[in-house]
Amino acid sequence: MSERETTAGLEFATVVFMDLVGYSRLPSPERQAQQIRELQEVVRGTDDFRRAEEAGDLLRLPTGDGMALVFFRDPVAAVRCAVQIAGALRQRPHLPLRIGIHHGPVHRLEDINANTNVSGGGINLAQRVMDCGEAGHVLLSGAVTALVGQLGVWP
């Protein structure tokens, strides 16, 4: 495979990967579904989520016990969105969420249901960063920290 073939379709994105801690131990599928619905409501209520979605710069991916938000243009918007979600959840301690954020390469592809998805280091590392956290944590990879620092802004 040539270098050109390996970079065809490559994009850089900032991925906000999150899951509900203890989700699989909830007493019923109804309770699990209720927590996912409530988390989705909180996420959809953030300003940066709505702006990115309206601009067509956001891919939303369900993960079973959480979700991944893939921001394609503005890495600061991804971090602000995560901070907004974490802030809103302080008022909802029954939704213990951990969040990991990474900026890196992704390839858009179709999943088995023909829905748009992504693969690559951008999403894989975001999940690994999240896995290092506990409920209430918003963890940033070194790449995100460096990028946001270079832009001179911190949400």
Side-chain angles (χ1 to χ4, degrees):
M1 189 176 328
S2 73
E3 182 178 333
R4 182 178 195 85
E5 290 172 324
T6 60
T7 59
L10 180 69
E11 298 178 78
F12 281 83
T14 307
V15 180
V16 178
F17 209 104
M18 60 189 98
D19 77 10
L20 290 161
V21 177
Y23 176 85
S24 61
R25 293 187 304 268
L26 290 171
S28 69
E30 293 82 17
R31 182 72 178 123
Q32 290 176 341
Q34 189 276 330
Q35 279 205 345
I36 291 294
R37 282 192 302 273
E38 193 171 350
L39 175 60
Q40 290 171 349
E41 177 185 314
V42 168
V43 171
R44 287 185 192 118
T46 63
D47 295 335
D48 285 288
F49 175 92
R50 286 195 307 268
R51 277 193 290 272
E53 187 172 52
E54 288 169 8
D57 296 336
L58 179 67
L59 179 60
R60 301 165 292 150
L61 303 171
T63 63
D65 59 352
M67 67 189 75
L69 304 176
V70 184
F71 287 77
F72 285 99
R73 297 220 191 273
D74 185 357
V76 176
V79 176
R80 276 194 315 256
C81 182
V83 169
Q84 291 166 7
I85 292 166
L89 291 183
R90 283 192 200 102
Q91 305 302 316
R92 301 174 192 221
H94 60 283
L95 291 176
L97 189 73
R98 62 185 179 164
I99 301 174
I101 308 172
H102 178 65
H103 181 82
V106 297
H107 286 274
R108 291 188 209 214
L109 52 88
E110 284 188 352
D111 67 16
I112 191 69
N113 296 313
N115 295 320
T116 303
N117 204 330
V118 295
S119 68
I123 191 161
N124 295 342
L125 284 171
Q127 182 177 8
R128 289 186 184 116
V129 169
M130 179 206 65
D131 287 342
C132 294
E134 297 178 7
H137 289 172
V138 178
L139 301 180
L140 283 64
S141 71
V144 173
T145 303
L147 183 60
V148 172
Q150 288 175 18
L151 296 173
V153 293
W154 191 251

